Amino acid sequence: MYLSAAYHRIPLSDGNSIPIIGLGTYSEPRLTPKGTCARSVKIAIDTGYRHIDGAYLYQNEHEVGEAIREKIAEGKVQRQDIFYCGKLWATHHDPQMVRPTLERTLKDLQLDYVDLYIIEIPMAFKPGDEFYPKDENGKWLYHKSNLCATWEVECHPYFTQPKLLKFCQQHDIVIIAYSPLGTSRNPSWVNVSSPPLLKDALLNSLGKKYNKTAAQVVLRFNIQRGVVVIPKSFNPERIKENFQIFDFSLTEEEMKDIEDLNKNVRFVEMLMWCDHPEYPFHDEY
């Protein structure tokens, strides 16, 4: 599979295609200055990104849309060049809520369509506009739902998901890897006792060999396996750095060495919701 900075789309089974690297736009709304996301998306598009990953939950889709529309107006890209992935949050899983929620995303983006719309997490909360509903005692308000769709998969050298990857390849399913760098250390939803991925000795030694960072090696590893990556960053230099993964390739032996790093360690455990009847990781513990 030939991938370059200019063209790095991989085919989907329905005849469409998806850019193999995207910009993640997750942020804590209360902690992120206004305009940060818009600036980052514009920098990403100027750098060469054509895949933007967002969600209504992030409360910044209006900034994402603003940036995309500005770059279209400049003539930098056309709408069909951009692949936007939006997400359905856990309080809107009821079938009758899906279309209105998608339409709200389109209104915020001020775009005619999204390229992909997925379920953010495979658990439902009490339906409504409150993102994280709790009762008067601070207990989570869950909701039973019937999930008939799939969702993204965490995937990185410490959690390589070989069985899932093989199954998906056999059935022409493309994996989108969230947390591809394993860098978030938010204790509310991340297992912070897990070893920091980017400090791994092998990844750093390969980085020195290719004059790359450990993060670039990690991203190259996944795209070389045909896995789409969506590293999140609002740092201009990191956004550009994460995209510079098309000018080198890992050898078969190096790919195998990285695969052998697998510890079946999942960083994103969402343990605050482990008592949910639909909690997806019970069989891992």
Side-chain angles (χ1 to χ4, degrees):
M1 181 192 332
Y2 174 73
L3 300 169
S4 68
Y7 191 84
H8 47 273
R9 286 179 172 262
I10 59 175
L12 298 172
S13 60
D14 65 354
N16 290 304
S17 61
I18 182 171
I20 202 162
I21 183 171
L23 176 73
T25 59
Y26 170 78
S27 67
E28 288 282 355
R30 294 170 298 174
L31 304 177
T32 307
K34 183 179 178 180
T36 300
C37 180
R39 285 192 297 273
S40 299
V41 172
K42 285 185 276 190
I43 290 169
I45 292 174
D46 286 340
T47 299
Y49 288 79
R50 296 296 180 263
H51 177 174
I52 309 297
D53 180 86
Y56 177 70
L57 176 71
Y58 307 163
Q59 300 179 53
N60 58 16
E61 286 189 306
H62 60 290
E63 292 193 20
V64 173
E66 170 194 323
I68 292 173
R69 296 194 314 276
E70 183 175 317
K71 289 303 169 182
I72 291 173
E74 289 178 5
K76 179 71 176 179
V77 292
Q78 296 180 316
R79 173 61 186 93
Q80 59 265 32
D81 297 328
I82 299 296
F83 188 100
Y84 181 77
C85 174
K87 303 185 189 74
L88 181 74
W89 180 236
T91 53
H92 293 79
H93 281 189
D94 283 358
Q96 70 272 18
M97 302 180 76
V98 176
R99 187 181 182 94
T101 307
L102 171 57
E103 289 173 346
R104 184 160 48 183
T105 276
L106 292 174
K107 182 179 180 180
D108 285 348
L109 290 168
Q110 293 185 44
L111 297 175
D112 294 331
Y113 64 92
V114 297
D115 300 88
L116 181 64
Y117 196 60
I118 62 177
I119 294 172
E120 182 135 15
I121 59 173
M123 302 178 287
F125 299 153
K126 178 185 176 182
D129 292 327
E130 188 176 352
F131 289 131
Y132 302 106
K134 294 182 179 181
D135 65 17
E136 62 275 10
N137 298 313
K139 185 176 177 61
W140 294 105
L141 293 173
Y142 297 138
H143 182 65
K144 186 169 178 60
S145 63
N146 179 22
L147 295 177
C148 298
T150 190
W151 67 307
E152 298 171 298
V153 177
E154 178 177 348
C155 192
H156 47 72
Y158 282 178
F159 196 55
T160 56
Q161 303 263 37
K163 291 182 180 178
L164 179 64
L165 180 61
K166 183 178 180 180
F167 174 86
C168 289
Q169 289 172 336
Q170 289 172 341
H171 294 83
D172 294 324
I173 299 170
V174 172
I175 291 179
I176 301 176
Y178 71 75
S179 296
L181 299 177
T183 47
S184 177
R185 309 301 283 181
N186 186 331
S188 66
W189 50 277
V190 171
N191 180 358
V192 293
S193 67
S194 303
L197 176 65
L198 298 186
K199 292 185 179 181
D200 185 88
L202 172 64
L203 299 176
N204 280 279
S205 68
L206 289 173
K208 289 181 180 178
K209 173 183 175 180
Y210 292 106
N211 196 27
K212 295 290 181 181
T213 65
Q216 289 169 318
V217 171
V218 169
L219 294 173
R220 181 68 206 186
F221 165 73
N222 258 334
I223 71 165
Q224 210 162 306
R225 298 198 301 162
V227 174
V228 176
V229 291
I230 47 172
K232 178 265 172 183
S233 181
F234 287 158
N235 179 306
E237 295 309 311
R238 290 274 172 79
I239 291 171
K240 296 172 185 176
E241 182 182 277
N242 289 341
F243 193 75
Q244 294 165 359
I245 55 176
F246 299 104
D247 56 354
F248 77 108
S249 61
L250 300 165
T251 67
E252 287 187 20
E253 183 178 356
E254 289 165 348
M255 289 290 289
K256 180 65 169 59
D257 288 343
I258 296 176
E259 288 172 359
D260 288 343
L261 292 177
N262 183 39
K263 305 177 188 297
N264 285 322
V265 169
R266 181 185 291 277
F267 287 113
V268 181
E269 295 182 337
M270 301 185 288
L271 288 176
M272 66 284 204
W273 300 321
C274 65
D275 60 339
H276 195 296
E278 295 168 344
Y279 182 72
F281 311 134
H282 282 305
D283 59 346
E284 296 182 9
Y285 300 103

